[in-house]
Amino acid sequence: MATEQKHYARSSFSKGVTKLGISILQTAKQPERAFQHGRYFGIPANTKLAKDTFERALATPEVKNLLANRPSQTWPDLEQMAAMPKGSLGWCVHRRLEKLGISFLVDQSQVPESQTDEEFVITRGTRLHEIHHTILGLPITVAGEAAATAFYASTGSSPFHIGILSSWMLRGAYEPGERRLIWDAIGFGIAIGQEVPELFSPRWEEGWERPITDWQDELGLSELLKTSPFQDEFANIYGLNLE
């Protein structure tokens, strides 16, 4: 008689693993078409494993405190950001959004007025990605995205982020010339995560006019940024010297 396997873990996304593999491979090959190729990255996000990691994130004291007193999701528009003091968080975010042509992030019509905690976290997390790129000085390149994703994956262990990170790790197989910088960027993202457990709970929306260097000092990032493989990013994009 066969005995029951009490600890047998069956993946709830096994049926979609081939599709996920396609997204990983195609995104690695053509990162400029990541939004098209990455349509299957959401498959692991719908698993129980992903839901468990998400619930753990919601249960941390920092996030619970934020949810108990939510900051406004109303962002300044681009003109308001541009008028902020040079070197402030808002001014730097404006420089970045303007350069990338992604002003839709400040369109308040995209943000529902009433949201559950889960909806709020997902919406805010999506928008904060650009603030995280700004505060860490990460370019919009495979290496820059690899650094950001490595930070998210190493601090949250989300299957969603680990799937995306797999693409950036594989990129060097298609373009060997990019491999060294990508892996240096991944190491940088992990190093940040070892010192800063998350960048979701800071109340960014209440400090748009604060100097970006004040934010970096408060979060313990200033010394870590000196080890970044993107040393020229702050000077080239924001005209700032952080030393």
Side-chain angles (χ1 to χ4, degrees):
M1 181 177 177
T3 58
E4 182 181 356
Q5 293 177 294
K6 294 183 179 179
H7 302 292
Y8 177 73
R10 184 171 184 174
S11 170
S12 59
F13 62 90
S14 58
K15 292 182 180 179
V17 70
T18 301
K19 291 181 178 179
L20 176 60
I22 290 172
S23 276
I24 291 172
L25 290 167
Q26 289 186 327
T27 302
K29 186 176 182 179
Q30 296 179 303
E32 70 280 3
R33 300 175 66 181
F35 287 112
Q36 175 185 341
H37 294 324
R39 59 188 179 278
Y40 298 128
F41 281 128
I43 290 174
N46 294 320
T47 64
K48 183 180 184 302
L49 180 62
K51 289 179 172 59
D52 288 345
T53 61
F54 188 78
E55 289 299 322
R56 284 198 294 271
L58 292 183
T60 61
E62 295 80 7
V63 175
K64 287 176 69 174
N65 288 338
L66 184 85
L67 293 175
N69 182 21
R70 296 182 185 180
S72 171
Q73 290 234 72
T74 300
W75 282 24
D77 61 32
L78 291 182
E79 290 185 357
Q80 291 171 320
M81 287 183 177
M84 291 178 182
K86 181 179 179 180
S88 65
L89 175 65
W91 185 88
C92 290
V93 170
H94 166 264
R95 295 276 294 179
R96 176 179 167 79
L97 297 183
E98 185 180 55
K99 181 178 179 63
L100 297 175
I102 50 177
S103 60
F104 64 86
L105 283 173
V106 299
D107 181 0
Q108 303 307 319
S109 67
Q110 303 295 317
V111 182
E113 292 185 7
S114 178
Q115 294 181 305
T116 64
D117 283 350
E118 181 174 344
E119 291 168 341
F120 175 83
V121 168
I122 292 172
T123 300
R124 187 171 186 266
T126 300
R127 300 172 97 200
L128 289 189
H129 181 68
E130 301 310 320
I131 289 183
H132 297 162
H133 263 272
T134 302
I135 205 81
L136 297 175
L138 304 178
I140 290 296
T141 60
V142 170
E145 292 298 336
T149 312
F151 170 78
Y152 298 140
S154 66
T155 55
S157 297
S158 163
F160 172 72
H161 288 123
I162 290 172
I164 297 174
L165 183 59
S166 298
S167 275
W168 308 143
M169 295 169 70
L170 190 60
R171 174 63 179 169
Y174 290 103
E175 291 293 339
E178 298 180 25
R179 182 174 60 239
R180 175 62 184 270
L181 181 56
I182 290 171
W183 284 99
D184 285 349
I186 290 172
F188 175 64
I190 293 172
I192 294 290
Q194 294 295 309
E195 298 295 328
V196 183
E198 51 89 20
L199 288 171
F200 180 82
S201 64
R203 304 181 75 86
W204 307 101
E205 300 89 342
E206 297 170 4
W208 290 110
E209 298 198 24
R210 287 182 60 191
I212 193 172
T213 50
D214 282 5
W215 278 109
Q216 291 161 343
D217 288 342
E218 179 181 303
L219 295 167
L221 292 169
S222 299
E223 290 302 311
L224 287 167
L225 290 173
K226 295 178 182 178
T227 68
S228 170
F230 311 108
Q231 290 294 318
D232 297 333
E233 188 71 6
F234 284 104
N236 292 342
I237 304 297
Y238 313 117
L240 300 177
N241 184 349
L242 299 185
E243 294 185 5

